Every structure is written in C-alpha cells, then in structure tokens.
Amino acid sequence: MARHLITSAIPYINGIKHLGNLVGSQLPADLYARYQRGRGHEVLFLCATDEHGTPAELAAKKAGKPVAEYCAEMHQVQAAIARGFRLSFDHFGRSSSPQNHTLTQHFAGKLADNDLIREVSESQVYSNTDGRFLPDRYIEGTCPNCGYDKARGDQCENCTKQLDPTDLIEPRSAISGSTDLEVRETKHLYLMQAGMRGQLNDWIDSKQDWPLLTTSIARKWLNDGDGLQDRGITRDLDWGIPVKRGDADWPGMEGKVFYVWFDAPIEYIACAGEWAEAHGLDDAAWQRWWRTDKGADDVRYTQFMGKDNVPFHTLSFPATILGSGEPWKLVDYIKSFNYLNYDGGQFSTSQGRGVFMDQALDILPPDYWRWWLLSHAPESSDSEFTWENFQVSVNKDLADVLGNFVSRVTKFCRSKFGESVPEAGEFGPDEHALIDSITARVRTYEQHMEAMDVRKSAAELRGIWVAGNEYLQSVAPWTTFKTDPDRAAAQIRLALNLVRLYAVLSAPFVPDAAADMLAAMQTDDDSWPDDVPAALGMLTPGHAFTVPEVAFAKITDEQREEWQARFSGVRA
C-alpha cells in the first residue's frame, strides 16, 4: 500500500469560483485521490481557502462586512459547493488558521536564521484618503499597453502585461476610488531566492517525468531576462499573518503582515495540522505526511494547479522549504493545466463571466459537470466550454453509452429472468473475447490514471463502456433468448457483472452514478478489478438486483438554448 499526499491549489476566498477554476486544480486532484483510494492506497487529500491579501479585503469591503467575518462565511460557502461537486477532501482548511499563523512565522524565522531574508526600503504608493499604503492590486488605472481602464497595479487582466503601479495612466485607489496618491518609503522583507537559483534549477532538472507545461514555466521564470529575482514576502495590510521571526517580534516590521503568496502554500502543511486536530490526532499524525524525519520518506506528494500558479509552487514555495534547512517533504509531481475558456471568451471571477460552481449545480447534478470537465480537461492546450459541446458529450457519453447499457441490461433481465442474476448457460467465444478486451482496456486505463493523463483516462473509460454496448449489439440477447434462453442467460450474467465493474471503474469520474449502480446491483463490494475475469464473476447466480432509475436524462435543445441565453457571460 502506497501513501499519497495530494493537494490542489487553494482557491481565493473572494467569491464563488467558476468552472475553469474547478477543472484547473480541485476536480482532477479529486479524480486522482479517488482513484488511488480505489486501488487501496492510503491518501491524504488536502485543500483550503486562501484568505489573505488584497482580494479578501476588497471583497469584504464590497460585501460591507469585517474581513474576518466575510472569510468565515465564504469558507462555509466554498466548502458546501465542494461537497456539492463531491470533492473528497480529507480536510478543507483555512489559511487564516492558527496552524498556518504558527508555521508561516516559523518558516520566516528559519529563513532569517539562514541569512535568506533581507530588509529592503522601497517606494510604494500611499493613499492619503485611505490613510494607508496600497499594495499593487489595490491600485487601478488605464493600462499603457492596451488601454484597458481597469488594469491593476501588478498586471493588466486584459492583455496580461506585468505592470508597476507607476506605469498606470490615471491611477486610483481600488478601495475608495481616490486619486490623491503619492509615493512614500516603506520597509519590507524579501526572500533571497535569487541566490538559490542553482539549487532550484538542479531540483527541477531532476524531475524528468514532470509535464512540459510545468517545467517550461518554471525554467522561464528561472532563466528569462534577469532570471529568478528576490521576492517581497511582507505587505502593508491590516488582514493577514502578523510578521514575526518565529514567535518573537520583528523590529521594524510592526503592523505588517506576510504576503499572501508566502503564507498560502505553507497552508498545505498547516492544513494537515488542522486535519489532525479535527480528528483528535496528535502532531505525529500529520508530521508523518510532511516531515521526512517523521515518516514522510515514503510519501508520494502530488500537486494540482492551473498554469498561473506554477511559478510559486516550483520556485518560491520550494525555496521556502529548502531554505529552512529542515526536513520537510518536497513535491514529487506537479500536474498543471492550461485554461478553460468560456463560449468564445475567458472565464473571469472579477468580471463575472462564465458559469460559476453554484450555478452549475443549480442546473444539473455534479456527475454531468465532472464528466464533461474531466473529459475535456485543458492539459496540452487551452480548451473551451460551449453549450453545444456540453450537450453532445453528456448525451452521447453518459446517456447513450453508460446509462443506456445499465438500463437495457437490467430491464431485459427483469422481463425474462426476474430480478436476480440468471444461472443457466456457459460463456462462449464472444464472452471470452469481451473479457480479454476489457482486461486489456482496464490495464490501459490504470496506466493513464497513474500518469494523471486525465483526458486519455476518460477516453479509455468511455471505450470500456462502449465495449459493453458493442457486445450487447453483437450477441443480441433479446434475439438469442427466442431460440437459446440459456445462452442469453449467460450473456446477461456477464452484462450484469459489467454494470458492477463499470461502477468501480467510473467512481473517480462520476461518483454518484457509480454509487447508484452498486446500489442497483445490491452490493457494496467496490474492490478494484486487479483480476478482471474474477471481477466479472463477482455477482453470482441468484444474486438479486434492482432496475435503477434513469441515470442520466438527456439535455434537450430547449434546455441548452435557455442556459446559453441565461449564462451569456456576465453574472448578475
């Protein structure tokens, strides 16, 4: 039994995420976690809400609530939506937790002890109206590159050009809208990661199995232009983890907090501490996942994220861990994704464009979304959600192939043999050929799942479903029954066992449908088919079953047209 530590990029607290966020990290991470659990391995699957930084403060202000209250409420909202999509986190934590406060301050202290923190005086925009320094994202203005009038002080969302606040035309405070801004001196702490460039480069070079998307982004940040730069890890904000050197005050840093991109990845570790506490476990329970001196040497750690998060997870977070000089577990594999676009444009949380996770669940059950998103995951390039493609894929794959197979088999058996697995007949060449084919396909499916090739896994799973349908069409038990009922009984016995097999194999993708199939087969045996021929004999003659409700209703043209109009790109 292997041990798998799995994390997905932690979503910002500032509102409900869209489908692009879901497929870029949490959903494929859940697929992998469910698969590894299904294979009998020990899994710790962690995620959390990212609650510090500019977006949290701005969202709280917009909602008219204290930021701590806003974050607590939105954490509950995001947790409920995650459950709605059947995301099987072992713990869904919060970056504002006491555990993350302690660990972030601990890492900062260790980095300082190892001469990897320097104090820098820098110029920063100060708003006289707001009475505070404004971090880059708190400053809006017109982009000098493309003319977009809502560009932020760190980056233009429209053209993606990296900016400094002083580059903006007619800059204003994102808090108050005031243009009464001036540049003042302030002090901040910087992580001296530039000096670790060689160490980080060697570490990334050692990851020969990583996706090209991951390593190409990491190497670009390491080597392009002036290469990897030291990076500020503090901010002049009210909300966040207070700057401390371990548990000691940090002279000159009073009133400052750690930068969200310093503390957010540390929450992966802190979240394990939150998990242990929530289950009444001691520190050893979580340390065996994260400390190589406490048992984490045999852990396989996999991260899932969108490509915009790759630089922080391949460079800054590893620099923090390596720079601490302590035996923390480093990531073994980073599965990164491109972007999912929406109907000819981009999903955008800030602009309210696209289908958001709560809206999706209001329309259809989670399996519909899980299947489409995973089978169209943006792995090798960006992919695009269109309502037409969604309708076609759901209707063909889920309704016509998987759902139709289950319905035909169970209804036919009930009508001819009753609601139990028929006993008569022996398997012939057609059955043995199907078993051989399914065996080979299951092994291929496993290879794709182990490699985290999401789309290939979905395609192979669909192929396994199709094989059952093609077998039914070929042997036609409804015709065979007229002349050789015993042979038809054997065909249906195999087909009923295929239903149970499909439930086990499909559970990582469509967990609700899988549970319904197992329930219909009146079994809770969801053991993985290491021996496929044996698995296809698990439901023995006389085993009772029930005919399930229609698993997947087809999406009509009228529904598609209605949703296309309702979600034209801007959330009310």
Side-chain angles (χ1 to χ4, degrees):
M1 182 173 70
R3 297 173 62 212
H4 288 272
L5 174 62
I6 301 169
T7 61
S8 64
I10 64 177
Y12 262 135
I13 198 71
N14 63 329
I16 294 165
K17 305 298 113 176
H18 55 64
L19 296 182
N21 298 128
L22 178 62
V23 75
S25 59
Q26 293 178 324
L27 189 53
D30 180 71
L31 177 79
Y32 189 60
R34 285 178 176 275
Y35 169 73
Q36 293 298 348
R37 291 193 197 104
R39 298 303 305 271
H41 299 309
E42 186 180 6
V43 170
L44 185 63
F45 177 26
L46 302 173
C47 192
T49 38
D50 184 358
E51 301 188 7
H52 296 138
T54 310
E57 289 200 19
L58 289 180
K61 180 176 177 60
K62 184 177 180 181
K65 296 179 179 179
V67 66
E69 178 184 328
Y70 172 82
C71 288
E73 289 181 4
M74 284 308 303
H75 172 80
Q76 292 300 320
V77 169
Q78 291 201 20
I81 292 173
R83 289 191 296 271
F85 276 99
R86 309 298 185 255
L87 302 178
S88 59
F89 303 128
D90 290 292
H91 191 74
F92 188 62
R94 303 181 61 187
S95 70
S96 61
S97 68
Q99 288 88 346
N100 200 36
H101 277 237
T102 300
L103 265 176
T104 299
Q105 292 163 344
H106 168 84
F107 273 108
K110 288 297 179 183
L111 291 166
D113 292 344
N114 295 331
D115 297 323
L116 288 169
I117 299 286
R118 63 186 173 97
E119 195 172 296
V120 176
S121 292
E122 58 184 32
S123 298
Q124 192 171 337
V125 175
Y126 185 89
S127 168
N128 289 301
T129 301
D130 300 307
R132 62 183 292 175
F133 285 100
L134 297 179
D136 296 348
R137 288 173 63 98
Y138 271 40
I139 306 163
E140 291 182 346
T142 300
C143 175
N145 185 53
C146 71
Y148 180 60
D149 65 357
K150 293 181 180 177
R152 296 191 304 258
D154 58 349
Q155 186 178 26
C156 175
E157 187 182 65
N158 186 55
C159 70
T160 73
K161 182 176 178 63
Q162 300 285 320
L163 298 169
D164 288 319
T166 51
D167 295 333
L168 294 173
I169 300 168
E170 298 180 348
R172 61 189 179 274
S173 166
I175 301 170
S176 63
S178 172
T179 57
D180 185 10
L181 311 178
E182 62 181 66
V183 176
R184 292 188 184 181
E185 289 294 308
T186 185
K187 288 184 178 181
H188 283 291
L189 301 180
Y190 272 66
L191 173 61
M192 297 168 63
Q193 58 184 19
M196 300 180 68
R197 180 178 174 276
Q199 188 178 2
L200 291 166
N201 193 62
D202 291 344
W203 177 65
I204 291 166
D205 282 347
S206 73
K207 304 299 182 182
Q208 297 295 319
D209 62 331
W210 280 13
L212 178 61
L213 179 63
T214 302
T215 53
S216 62
I217 292 172
R219 289 195 176 102
K220 179 179 180 180
W221 279 62
L222 269 174
N223 303 315
D224 281 11
D226 296 326
L228 185 64
Q229 299 296 300
D230 293 344
R231 169 172 167 270
I233 62 167
T234 58
R235 286 291 186 268
D236 289 296
L237 290 173
D238 297 325
W239 172 248
I241 297 176
V243 175
K244 286 194 171 186
R245 184 167 177 161
D247 56 4
D249 291 336
W250 204 311
M253 292 293 118
E254 295 83 4
K256 297 181 189 292
V257 300
F258 285 108
Y259 180 32
V260 64
W261 263 113
F262 182 69
D263 82 72
I266 295 171
E267 168 59 18
Y268 294 136
I269 306 174
C271 187
E274 296 171 53
W275 161 78
E277 181 182 275
H279 290 83
L281 304 173
D282 60 14
D283 286 347
W286 71 264
Q287 289 174 347
R288 67 187 284 268
W289 291 97
W290 278 107
R291 298 272 304 203
T292 57
D293 60 339
K294 300 288 180 66
D297 266 334
D298 64 347
V299 169
R300 169 81 171 172
Y301 177 23
T302 307
Q303 295 176 347
F304 290 79
M305 70 196 63
K307 60 185 176 183
D308 53 331
N309 285 332
V310 168
F312 302 101
H313 291 77
T314 55
L315 303 173
S316 296
F317 185 36
T320 297
I321 290 179
L322 292 167
S324 75
E326 295 182 322
W328 298 100
K329 176 68 184 175
L330 281 163
V331 66
D332 293 298
Y333 192 87
I334 297 179
K335 174 69 174 181
S336 55
F337 291 84
N338 289 284
Y339 294 141
L340 175 70
N341 295 319
Y342 176 75
D343 223 6
Q346 287 186 328
F347 279 94
S348 171
T349 300
S350 61
Q351 299 301 309
R353 176 173 169 76
V355 184
F356 290 74
M357 290 170 66
D358 59 336
Q359 297 170 325
L361 290 174
D362 284 342
I363 297 171
L364 288 167
D367 281 351
Y368 290 72
W369 300 106
R370 289 177 64 101
W371 175 252
W372 189 91
L373 290 167
L374 290 167
S375 61
H376 293 78
E379 290 178 293
S380 58
S381 62
D382 290 353
S383 58
E384 182 165 0
F385 176 92
T386 68
W387 288 102
E388 291 84 357
N389 183 279
F390 179 66
Q391 178 191 24
V392 168
S393 295
V394 163
N395 288 355
K396 280 190 173 182
D397 299 348
L398 297 182
D400 288 345
V401 180
L402 178 59
N404 187 49
F405 179 84
V406 175
S407 180
R408 291 168 78 190
V409 169
T410 54
K411 287 181 178 178
F412 177 77
C413 187
R414 180 176 63 183
S415 69
K416 302 302 182 184
F417 302 104
E419 292 188 347
S420 63
V421 177
E423 181 177 0
E426 300 293 332
F427 289 172
D430 290 329
E431 288 69 50
H432 291 300
L434 176 64
I435 292 170
D436 289 344
S437 172
I438 293 290
T439 300
R441 282 187 170 277
V442 168
R443 299 289 89 91
T444 301
Y445 175 61
E446 291 168 350
Q447 291 169 9
H448 291 324
M449 290 289 272
E450 292 290 347
M452 285 165 272
D453 288 329
V454 178
R455 292 177 76 146
K456 289 181 180 178
S457 299
E460 194 62 42
L461 178 60
R462 186 185 188 280
I464 294 170
W465 298 341
V466 167
N469 280 275
E470 290 178 340
Y471 166 76
L472 276 188
Q473 287 299 106
S474 173
V475 301
W478 41 87
T479 301
T480 307
F481 181 81
K482 298 173 183 176
T483 58
D484 192 346
D486 285 358
R487 174 156 173 71
Q491 293 165 349
I492 288 299
R493 186 166 65 251
L494 177 58
L496 288 169
N497 273 281
L498 270 177
V499 173
R500 192 202 73 88
L501 181 73
Y502 287 175
V504 174
L505 297 176
S506 306
F509 281 90
V510 285
D512 284 0
D516 289 345
M517 285 189 276
L518 284 178
M521 294 300 102
Q522 296 192 16
T523 179
D524 56 6
D525 187 340
D526 60 355
S527 57
W528 194 263
D530 294 315
D531 182 337
V532 174
L536 288 173
M538 293 285 288
L539 302 183
T540 55
H543 181 95
F545 71 89
T546 56
V547 176
E549 297 292 324
V550 174
F552 298 101
K554 285 193 173 186
I555 297 171
T556 66
D557 290 345
E558 291 75 22
Q559 286 175 310
R560 171 181 55 77
E561 290 165 2
E562 178 197 339
W563 296 334
Q564 199 160 11
R566 193 194 319 174
F567 302 105
S568 57
V570 178
R571 179 171 182 144

